[in-house]
């Protein structure tokens, strides 16, 4: 795959043609709002600009919007040095991989062994050190990416409080999305969503337990992939649940998500869930076939939409239109109701699994720290710290999720009650749910509006990908979030369409999502109200030191 890619693109650059200007004599500067890995690579290869230029341009863009949107908690102080090294390697004819010299931001719960903090947005972990890079960070670096910085998030990946807001962390402040003033960025990968959407990096990594990639991806007009649990290693990522956590790309195009997923997927002895990956990692780039909808069989759980959708909403109207698009592209779209849906919606199974896993998984993350200034070792310690450290905004932002885990549920994932809850979650899916309809009706995927999609995949560790579907009309009412500090929906706010699949079928889902994206190009139809102005040309022309 890599070889094929580089052959194609070498022939492209030798003719000095850029993907955004086929037929022009000279490569052009891609606009950073919609630059792609391929367009940046062409520019880097042709020496029109360097990775140092890219790091400077992105850092300036972050500085332009960060005081309003609060997206990035810290820049990598070594990013320029790393870029210089990668530029040097490139000029010596060496390429580490498809991400060579491409700046990527990562969520502030994915650890790096460098000068950056990994906090999940909590002051309890500021200054804590890890023994090595997380596997995700290592794989990004091996593929040549520049880790540009860390993105703000819903604190503890939204697993602390019942009275907080998406995108708020004590350490990072409140993230806002850019399609409406004070827009709820959704979460918990909030900063990763806003950053990719505004071109503050080529793309970003997020993490998802249930919705934390696909939801901020939809609210920020992006593509997001939550891979099958175990396709991407969770080693040295601050956890919620080993049974549901997964790390994935958030990008402006399906193809860029495929490139990044290719770089980060794979077996890792430090996360033994990855040993379940069947066979070789698939070729996600090759999966990007514009004709993939032709002959595909796609299911719609109509009863899930009746139970959880908002009747007559712009999302549902756009969803119905999407069915026509898919049928016109040759897909067989059928009804595939989840007969277990009502029972699953009433069940406490998922929250019980998360509570139980968090107690154990958090303790094992903390046990790996090589330096731990606040000396927190357990969820009880973290809770005590949070309740007594003023910047954590307790009690206005409560700790009810932890209180429930520690004092109401009380048991963790070593308890027999855990297995009962977990097996029940699996059964909802295999007997009348997502995995059942996929196998019984021989579906390639199930589709749902993204706002009601994630849980059906999350509880069984199945993959999900969201692509832009539409946005609220200009006369839409402004609705606040429950805390009352953010605009949850309103004019211009984007939403997405999700493809859910059987485990390890990312290749299929990427194909369907790519074909849908290419047919619709919804991302280009809606613009943020706030766009950073710095472009690569400003850095190259005005000089790197201005
Ligand atoms: C982002 O904005 C916050 C709030 O203004 C600031 O504290 C932080 O240093 C900024 N980060 C970067 C990387 O500019
Ligand atoms: C990490 O946190 C410490 C303590 O707040 C701070 O001094 C340091 O600058 C942070 N690192 C980066 C790269 O921002
Ligand atoms: C997976 O790894 C964890 C710790 O790394 C270990 O406790 C557990 O027993 C392992 N499970 C299997 C099935 O190997
Ligand atoms: C599926 O669910 C919808 C909505 O609840 C219902 O109208 C329809 O009859 C169901 N179809 C089948 C085949 O059960
Ligand atoms: C999990 O529960 C068991 C049984 O109650 C207990 O021995 C163990 O310490 C708990 N683990 C954590 C990390 O709290
Ligand atoms: C939630 O936070 C808001 C804003 O600080 C506050 O007005 C409200 O009383 C809080 N609710 C609870 C139940 O603590
Ligand atoms: C870049 O975005 C603009 C505005 O959204 C759009 O018109 C243009 O077609 C996009 N270019 C590419 C190469 O996607
Ligand atoms: C780490 C960091 O930069 N935190 C800052 C983020 O923004 C808030 C304001 O919204 C500041 O108070 C934090 O210090």
């Amino acid at each position: 795959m890599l070889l094929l890619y580089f052959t194609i693109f070498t022939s492209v650059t030798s003719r000095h043609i850029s993907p955004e200007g086929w037929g022009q004599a000279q490569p052009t500067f891609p606009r950073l709002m919609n630059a792609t890995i391929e367009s940046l690579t062409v520019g880097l290869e042709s020496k029109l600009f360097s990775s140092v230029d890219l790091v400077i341009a992105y850092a300036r863009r972050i500085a332009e919007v960060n005081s309003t949107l609060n997206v990035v908690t810290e820049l990598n102080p070594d990013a320029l040095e790393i870029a210089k090294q990668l530029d040097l390697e490139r000029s010596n004819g060496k390429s580490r991989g498809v991400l060579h010299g491409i700046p990527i931001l990562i969520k502030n719960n994915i650890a790096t062994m460098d000068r950056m903090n990994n906090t999940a947005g909590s002051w309890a972990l500021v200054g804590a050190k890890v023994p090595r890079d997380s596997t995700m960070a290592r794989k990004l670096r091996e593929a040549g990416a520049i880790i540009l910085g860390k993105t703000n998030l819903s604190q503890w990946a939204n697993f602390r409080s019942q009275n907080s807001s998406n995108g708020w962390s004590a350490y990072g402040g409140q993230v806002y999305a850019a399609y409406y003033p004070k827009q709820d960025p959704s979460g918990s990968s909030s900063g990763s969503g806003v950053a990719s959407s505004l071109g503050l990096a080529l793309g970003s990594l997020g993490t998802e337990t249930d919705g934390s990639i696909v939801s901020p991806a939809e609210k920020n007009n992006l593509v997001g992939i939550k891979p099958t649990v175990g396709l991407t290693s969770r080693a040295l990522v601050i956890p919620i649940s080993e049974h549901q956590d997964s790390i994935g790309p958030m990008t402006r195009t399906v193809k860029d998500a495929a490139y990044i997923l290719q770089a980060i997927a794979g077996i890792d002895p430090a996360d033994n869930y990855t040993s379940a990956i069947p066979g070789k990692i698939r070729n996600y780039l090759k999966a990007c076939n514009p004709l993939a909808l032709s002959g595909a069989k796609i299911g719609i759980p109509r009863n899930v939409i009746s139970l959880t959708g908002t009747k007559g909403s712009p999302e549902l109207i756009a969803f119905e239109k999407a069915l026509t698009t898919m049928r016109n592209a040759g897909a067989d779209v059928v009804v595939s109701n989840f007969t277990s849906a009502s029972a699953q919606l009433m069940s406490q199974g998922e929250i019980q699994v998360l509570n139980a896993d968090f107690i154990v998984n958090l303790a094992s993350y903390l046990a790996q720290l090589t330096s731990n200034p606040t000396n927190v070792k357990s969820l009880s310690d973290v809770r005590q710290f949070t309740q007594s450290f003023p910047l954590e905004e307790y009690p206005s932002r409560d700790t009810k999720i932890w209180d429930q885990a520690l004092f109401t549920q009380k048991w963790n994932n070593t308890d027999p009650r855990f297995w009962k809850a977990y097996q029940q979650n699996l059964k909802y899916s295999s007997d009348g749910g997502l995995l059942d309809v996929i196998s019984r009706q021989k579906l390639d995927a199930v589709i749902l509006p993204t706002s009601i999609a994630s849980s059906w995949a999350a509880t069984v560790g199945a993959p999900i990908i969201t692509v832009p579907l539409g946005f609220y009309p200009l006369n839409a009412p402004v609705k606040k979030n429950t805390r009352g500090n953010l605009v949850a929906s309103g004019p211009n706010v984007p939403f997405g369409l999700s493809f859910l699949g059987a485990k390890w079928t990312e290749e299929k889902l990427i194909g369907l999502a790519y074909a849908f994206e290419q047919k619709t190009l919804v991302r280009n139809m809606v613009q943020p109200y706030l766009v950073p102005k710095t472009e690569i040309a400003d850095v190259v022309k005005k000089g790197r030191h201005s």
Side-chain angles (χ1 to χ4, degrees):
M1 189 286 297
L2 306 191
L3 279 178
L4 176 67
Y5 166 66
F6 276 105
T7 319
I8 292 168
F9 114 86
T10 309
S11 70
V12 167
T13 49
S14 63
R15 284 185 285 128
H16 287 276
I17 295 170
S18 80
E20 293 196 45
W22 294 107
Q24 290 177 16
Q26 293 299 318
T28 54
F29 292 105
R31 279 182 64 225
L32 290 175
M33 269 297 281
N34 55 8
T36 60
I37 291 174
E38 290 177 5
S39 66
L40 291 183
T41 304
V42 168
L44 290 167
E45 276 293 306
S46 65
K47 297 215 158 42
L48 186 63
F49 51 85
S50 65
S51 290
V52 166
D53 295 328
L54 283 181
V55 166
I56 294 171
Y58 281 131
R60 285 192 199 161
R61 287 170 77 84
I62 291 168
E64 279 184 60
V65 296
N66 195 39
S67 65
T68 340
L69 304 178
N70 210 21
V71 184
V72 175
T73 54
E74 39 195 69
L75 284 173
N76 183 353
D78 304 315
L80 268 181
E81 274 312 308
I82 294 169
K84 263 184 212 161
Q85 174 64 28
L86 289 163
D87 282 337
L88 186 67
E89 289 176 17
R90 189 187 291 281
S91 63
N92 290 333
K94 185 182 167 200
S95 171
R96 293 194 196 181
V98 286
L99 301 180
H100 192 103
I102 305 282
I104 304 281
L105 285 160
I106 65 176
K107 187 176 179 179
N108 199 349
N109 60 355
I110 303 171
T112 50
M113 197 179 72
D114 54 16
R115 290 194 273 167
M116 290 190 286
N117 293 287
N118 191 45
T119 64
S122 168
W123 289 95
L125 291 177
V126 174
K129 297 281 172 220
V130 289
R132 56 179 195 282
D133 267 345
S134 62
T135 306
M136 290 298 97
R138 174 172 62 76
K139 281 178 150 304
L140 281 179
R141 294 193 216 269
E142 282 169 4
I146 300 164
I147 299 177
L148 182 63
K150 306 291 291 277
T151 55
N152 205 349
L153 72 168
S154 312
Q155 196 187 32
W156 293 109
N158 218 6
F159 206 71
R160 162 187 156 179
S161 176
Q162 291 177 347
N163 195 30
S164 193
S165 43
N166 285 322
W168 178 87
S169 73
Y171 177 65
Q174 176 66 57
V175 183
Y176 300 99
Y179 288 85
Y180 193 84
K182 299 257 177 295
Q183 185 197 333
D184 187 331
S186 195
S188 63
S189 308
S190 319
S192 295
V194 180
S196 293
S197 189
L198 296 185
L200 308 185
L202 180 280
S204 58
L205 292 191
T207 68
E208 170 159 339
T209 308
D210 183 342
S212 280
I213 288 174
V214 295
S215 184
E218 84 157 337
K219 297 297 182 200
N220 289 289
N221 201 17
L222 291 177
V223 175
I225 302 179
K226 182 196 189 188
T228 306
V229 170
L231 186 68
T232 49
S233 166
R234 288 82 52 83
L236 289 175
V237 176
I238 299 173
I240 292 177
S241 160
E242 64 183 277
H243 293 89
Q244 294 194 195
D245 294 352
S246 188
I247 294 99
M250 299 169 75
T251 56
R252 296 179 292 270
T253 66
V254 174
K255 214 176 199 187
D256 281 346
Y259 273 119
I260 294 176
L261 184 60
Q262 199 80 51
I264 61 175
I267 292 177
D268 175 17
D271 177 356
N272 52 25
Y273 281 59
T274 60
S275 64
I277 297 172
K280 276 210 197 111
I281 297 296
R282 301 308 184 114
N283 187 330
Y284 303 124
L285 196 59
K286 229 167 107 188
C288 294
N289 168 10
L291 303 178
L293 280 164
S294 175
K297 192 170 177 197
I298 293 174
I300 311 172
R302 284 279 174 204
N303 69 324
V304 167
I305 296 176
S306 317
L307 284 166
T308 60
T310 309
K311 218 172 168 194
S313 65
E315 284 165 272
L316 289 195
I317 294 166
F319 181 79
E320 296 301 328
K321 272 177 65 187
L323 305 185
T324 308
T325 306
M326 290 190 216
R327 288 195 174 107
N328 290 344
D332 182 13
V333 182
V334 300
V335 174
S336 61
N337 287 352
F338 295 173
T339 52
S340 59
S342 307
Q344 185 171 347
L345 287 169
M346 304 286 290
S347 154
Q348 293 297 303
E350 182 178 11
I351 185 68
Q352 288 175 339
V353 164
L354 303 188
N355 285 339
D357 273 348
F358 189 57
I359 293 171
V360 174
N361 295 158
L362 177 66
S364 62
Y365 176 83
L366 297 173
Q368 294 174 77
L369 297 175
T370 52
S371 157
N372 183 348
T374 61
N375 205 30
V376 288
K377 300 261 192 266
S378 64
L379 178 55
S380 303
D381 293 349
V382 169
R383 179 174 170 276
Q384 205 154 40
F385 175 91
T386 302
Q387 294 189 347
S388 57
F389 194 78
L391 290 174
E392 294 283 332
E393 294 192 17
Y394 180 85
S396 164
R397 317 248 181 189
D398 59 46
T399 56
K400 283 200 177 142
I401 293 180
W402 301 343
D403 304 350
Q404 190 191 17
L406 291 170
F407 307 117
T408 309
Q409 182 169 316
K410 295 192 190 124
W411 44 267
N412 68 42
N413 68 10
T414 63
D415 189 282
R417 281 166 286 187
F418 174 83
W419 289 103
K420 192 164 172 246
Y422 183 56
Q423 294 306 321
Q424 181 59 55
N425 291 349
L426 299 184
K427 193 160 186 287
Y428 285 130
S429 192
S430 63
D431 189 358
L434 175 69
L435 298 182
D436 189 19
V437 299
I438 290 175
S439 74
R440 213 159 22 82
Q441 296 182 266
K442 301 196 170 27
L443 304 176
D444 294 298
V446 160
I447 52 171
L448 278 170
T450 295
S451 62
I452 56 171
S454 64
S455 297
W456 312 104
T459 48
V460 290
I464 173 168
I465 172 167
T466 181
V467 285
L469 173 64
F471 51 95
Y472 278 72
L474 293 182
N475 62 0
V478 169
K479 290 194 185 138
K480 293 289 184 73
N481 65 340
T482 49
R483 198 177 164 88
N485 62 336
L486 299 172
V487 171
S489 77
N492 210 46
V493 169
F495 49 78
L497 170 71
S498 281
F499 295 83
L500 297 74
K503 286 173 135 191
W504 320 110
T505 61
E506 284 77 6
E507 195 183 15
K508 241 181 221 182
L509 301 187
I510 286 170
L512 299 172
Y514 180 77
F516 182 79
E517 173 197 53
Q518 295 304 306
K519 281 255 170 310
T520 55
L521 295 176
V522 174
R523 179 174 157 84
N524 290 340
M525 295 173 191
V526 53
Q527 303 300 322
Y529 76 90
L530 180 65
V531 179
K533 295 193 173 57
T534 305
E535 294 290 347
I536 309 171
D538 300 320
V539 176
V540 174
K541 286 179 187 152
K542 289 190 194 142
R544 288 158 195 177
H545 302 290
S546 67

